[in-house]
């Protein structure tokens, strides 16, 4: 690959790392609350089994999607899903503006009524289900960013170029690493700059629009020109808007401090992840 191609792949990977970090922070906090009722030793085991299962699922689903990614119906479903989760999260966040609490996390998970008495393996199962949901979001966002990249010339895996496959795999793997080792940093960032969480989901929605453009430019549909979907002008527009969304989320966030916030999610995540 030449330097221009390396820079384009590197930029997409950097965007994925930032997006994965913000999404993984929210996910890590939810998982920490889900295992909070377990004894220390079982809590660490539940998180370990959950994250191990998430890695297997992400790795397996990546190979499956590499063979399906060029089917326009799959692309359309992915675009609609990304737009749905972005719109749903932003709608709930803006209208209700409730922080993630233990009660909120419990109400959205199976077996919430009697959580304190939930068995170890049932908790592991709930963590696995949550991880799968998080993985779907992560993989679809990574696919939407990677499929527009130019061919790397290092072969193909399924319907994906080898370089695109490696970018998507790196994004998924980095998401897991962040969820386990760097979650508290991103939770702290979201805690002090809460507008970044809304911005992250606006970015997810914008990525969904990118995947929708790729879908509409598919040869089987031809609604948009294939040249437009891969044009420098469209790519530049996409990344400029992405940066504007991120910058807006940063600068419009009201900075919170420990003194004016009753709960400390950073300590919560550190405690439950055994740090």
């Amino acid at each position: 690959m030449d330097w221009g191609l390396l820079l384009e792949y590197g930029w997409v990977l950097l965007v994925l790392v930032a997006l994965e970090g913000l999404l993984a922070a929210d996910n890590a906090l939810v998982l920490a609350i889900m295992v909070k009722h377990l004894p220390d030793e079982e809590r660490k085991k539940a998180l370990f089994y959950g994250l191990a299962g998430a890695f297997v699922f992400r790795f397996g689903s990546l190979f499956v999607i590499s063979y399906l990614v060029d089917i326009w119906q799959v692309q359309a479903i992915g675009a609609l899903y990304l737009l749905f989760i972005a719109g749903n999260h932003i709608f709930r966040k803006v209208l209700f503006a409730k922080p993630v609490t233990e009660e909120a996390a419990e109400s959205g998970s199976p077996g919430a009524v009697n959580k304190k008495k939930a068995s170890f393996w049932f908790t592991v199962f709930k963590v696995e289900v949550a991880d799968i949901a998080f993985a779907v979001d992560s993989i679809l966002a990574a696919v939407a960013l990677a499929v527009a990249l130019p061919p790397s010339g290092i072969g193909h895996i399924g319907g994906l170029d080898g370089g695109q496959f490696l970018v998507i795999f790196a994004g998924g793997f980095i998401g897991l690493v962040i969820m386990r080792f760097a979650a508290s940093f991103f939770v702290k960032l979201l805690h002090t700059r809460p507008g970044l969480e809304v911005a992250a989901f606006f970015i997810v929605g914008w990525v969904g629009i990118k995947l929708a453009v790729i879908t509409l430019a598919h040869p089987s549909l031809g609604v948009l020109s294939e040249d437009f979907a891969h044009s420098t002008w469209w790519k530049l527009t996409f990344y400029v808007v992405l940066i504007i969304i991120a910058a807006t989320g940063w600068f419009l966030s009201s900075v919170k401090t420990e003194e004016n916030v009753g709960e400390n999610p950073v300590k919560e995540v550190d405690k439950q992840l055994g740090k």
Side-chain angles (χ1 to χ4, degrees):
M1 288 195 288
D2 60 34
W3 283 108
L5 208 56
L6 280 173
L7 285 173
E8 191 168 354
Y9 270 75
W11 171 246
V12 169
L13 192 55
L14 281 175
V15 171
L16 266 179
V17 170
L19 187 57
E20 286 282 357
L22 293 173
L23 294 178
D26 211 29
N27 300 346
L29 183 56
V30 171
L31 294 184
I33 293 171
M34 287 175 71
V35 301
K36 186 178 180 180
H37 65 287
L38 293 173
D40 285 351
E41 207 56 42
E42 288 189 351
R43 184 168 59 226
K44 292 175 185 177
K45 285 182 180 179
L47 284 171
F48 173 79
Y49 293 148
L51 291 174
F55 179 80
V56 172
F57 176 79
R58 289 190 187 205
F59 192 70
S61 61
L62 181 53
F63 278 99
V64 173
I65 205 167
S66 68
Y67 286 92
L68 300 176
V69 72
D70 201 36
I71 301 173
W72 74 264
Q73 291 92 337
V74 174
Q75 294 176 349
I77 291 171
L80 289 172
Y81 179 76
L82 288 175
L83 289 168
F84 169 76
I85 62 168
N88 181 56
H89 183 91
I90 292 166
F91 176 79
R92 289 188 294 106
K93 193 75 176 176
V94 171
L95 262 79
F96 302 105
K98 290 181 180 179
V100 178
T101 61
E102 185 173 351
E103 289 77 13
E106 288 176 1
S107 64
S109 60
V113 176
N114 218 1
K115 182 166 182 169
K116 293 296 181 182
K117 298 179 182 178
S119 69
F120 168 75
W121 287 111
F122 184 60
T123 300
V124 171
F125 171 75
K126 289 192 293 181
V127 170
E128 293 284 5
V129 171
D131 277 333
I132 288 172
F134 299 151
V136 171
D137 303 346
S138 170
I139 291 172
L140 284 175
V143 166
L145 287 170
V147 291
L149 286 168
S152 64
I154 56 175
H156 283 76
I157 299 175
L160 281 174
D161 173 83
Q164 295 173 349
F165 180 90
L166 290 175
V167 167
I168 298 170
F169 175 79
F173 182 75
I174 288 167
L176 288 175
V177 172
I178 289 173
M179 200 181 295
R180 178 60 185 88
F181 296 105
S184 62
F185 168 78
F186 284 95
V187 169
K188 184 177 181 180
L189 186 61
L190 289 179
H191 192 50
T192 56
R193 296 275 181 177
L196 284 177
E197 184 178 356
V198 176
F201 279 92
F202 266 111
I203 290 173
V204 169
W206 183 232
V207 169
I209 291 174
K210 182 182 178 71
L211 187 54
V213 168
I214 292 170
T215 304
L216 294 173
H218 194 280
S220 300
L221 292 177
V223 176
L224 294 176
S225 165
E226 197 170 355
D227 291 336
F228 168 76
H230 297 279
S231 66
T232 302
W233 181 86
W234 165 239
K235 288 180 182 178
L236 185 62
T237 301
F238 173 80
Y239 287 114
V240 167
V241 172
L242 187 148
I243 291 170
I244 290 172
I245 293 171
T248 301
W250 177 272
F251 289 113
L252 293 185
S253 289
S254 56
V255 180
K256 293 184 178 181
T257 61
E258 295 301 321
E259 287 73 24
N260 58 23
V261 177
E263 58 180 10
N264 189 341
V266 183
K267 290 182 179 177
E268 183 68 43
V269 170
D270 282 345
K271 179 183 176 183
Q272 307 310 333
L273 294 181
K275 293 183 180 180

